[in-house]
Amino acid sequence: MHTHHMTRRQTSTALVWACLVLGSLSTTATAQTAFPTKPITLVVTYPPGGGADGMARLIAPKMGEALGQSVVIENKPGASGQIGASAVAKATPDGYTLMLDASSFAVNPALYPKLPYDSLKAFKPIGVVALFPNVVLVNANFPAKNIAELTAAAQKSKDAVSYASSGNGSAQHLAGALFESAAKVDMVHVPYKGGGPALNDVIGGQVPLFFGNLASTLQHVQSGKLKALAVTSAKRSAILPEVPTLAESGLKGAEIYEWNAVFAPANTPDAVVNKLAVAFQYALDSPEVKARIAQLGGDIQKSSPEQSKKFLEQQITLWGRVIKERNITTE
């Protein structure tokens, strides 16, 4: 009986101490543990209906589920993502304003020397959603059946092979430029106003070559309108298993991915960033998200904010080098 009584007394003393300690904790810490207490805005730097928007709408409900608050999407398109990014860079760094951007985030610093923010210093990455490889595609009647034959054709003369893109400085343009750099060839870049018209002309045979994303071009490969010569990922794609990688085709150093990542403004407290990162990983673990990304040919990234930051730094360095080497401008 006596010992039982002691334990009870010790317990009550411990409880009193606990209350005192908790009471003395600064209100900011309590506010952080309480995060979030209201809905979160996820700014998408591209228009509704596009790839980035699709990814945001896929993960937002799951992140909301994990956080116990809704994640509301707000599209702020324009200037290759700069308009949305500027707004988020200036937002209060409390975790209630986030950004979902695309691979252009890593391209913009070299393409636009006067960016209104410092890409690496203005944001804290929460995580990278997935990596989507490109496919090296040629018109069905183009004679090259593999990368070696394509490279040989391009080596004949400076303007022997041309490739289409959705515009100067676009993902397809840069993929072509990195390919030229790795294969040591010079090709003719034919910019279009948008990916749709570019792809149509490659299917129609006006331009032979296109570096497209897997999701939007898969149907044309399956129907035989386009030939897939290689995928630009480190390993083969589960949805095009018979197509070799560029490395397998003898072309090293030309891994190309399109991706989406989620960011918070730079001074967001670490405790909040970590809470968001946990919710983000929860979203990536959900069966619906996994299934959709697999369907699009993507590779889900399980990465911490630190690993995501390293990946983004590598991407900024890579595209900075390609843009400088190939003298790429948006003009």
Side-chain angles (χ1 to χ4, degrees), residues 151-166:
T151 307
Q155 276 164 345
K156 284 205 181 95
S157 69
K158 239 188 161 120
D159 49 9
V161 176
S162 53
Y163 67 99
S165 86
S166 62

Side-chain angles (χ1 to χ4, degrees), residues 110-111 174 317-328:
L111 213 47
L174 292 163
T317 306
L318 168 73
W319 294 117
R321 176 179 67 79
V322 172
I323 287 164
K324 206 176 151 187
E325 264 178 30
R326 310 297 307 180
N327 285 325
I328 291 171

Side-chain angles (χ1 to χ4, degrees), residues 18 36 76 119 162 177 305:
K76 279 197 176 167
S119 303
S162 53

Side-chain angles (χ1 to χ4, degrees), residues 163-180:
Y163 67 99
S165 86
S166 62
N168 283 320
S170 65
Q172 299 99 345
H173 181 194
L174 292 163
L178 180 55
F179 181 89
E180 287 178 298

Side-chain angles (χ1 to χ4, degrees), residues 54-80:
M55 281 298 121
R57 288 175 200 281
L58 183 64
I59 61 167
K62 297 291 170 193
M63 280 185 77
E65 211 172 276
L67 292 163
Q69 287 287 347
S70 55
V71 176
V72 185
I73 288 169
E74 190 185 325
N75 298 86
K76 279 197 176 167
S80 289

Side-chain angles (χ1 to χ4, degrees), residues 170-216:
S170 65
Q172 299 99 345
H173 181 194
L174 292 163
L178 180 55
F179 181 89
E180 287 178 298
S181 196
K184 298 181 173 52
V185 295
D186 283 301
M187 302 187 295
V188 178
H189 171 231
V190 185
Y192 285 78
K193 281 187 171 26
L199 190 58
N200 287 340
D201 269 9
V202 177
I203 292 169
Q206 283 82 350
V207 183
L209 179 63
F210 189 68
F211 297 83
N213 74 50
L214 202 46
S216 61

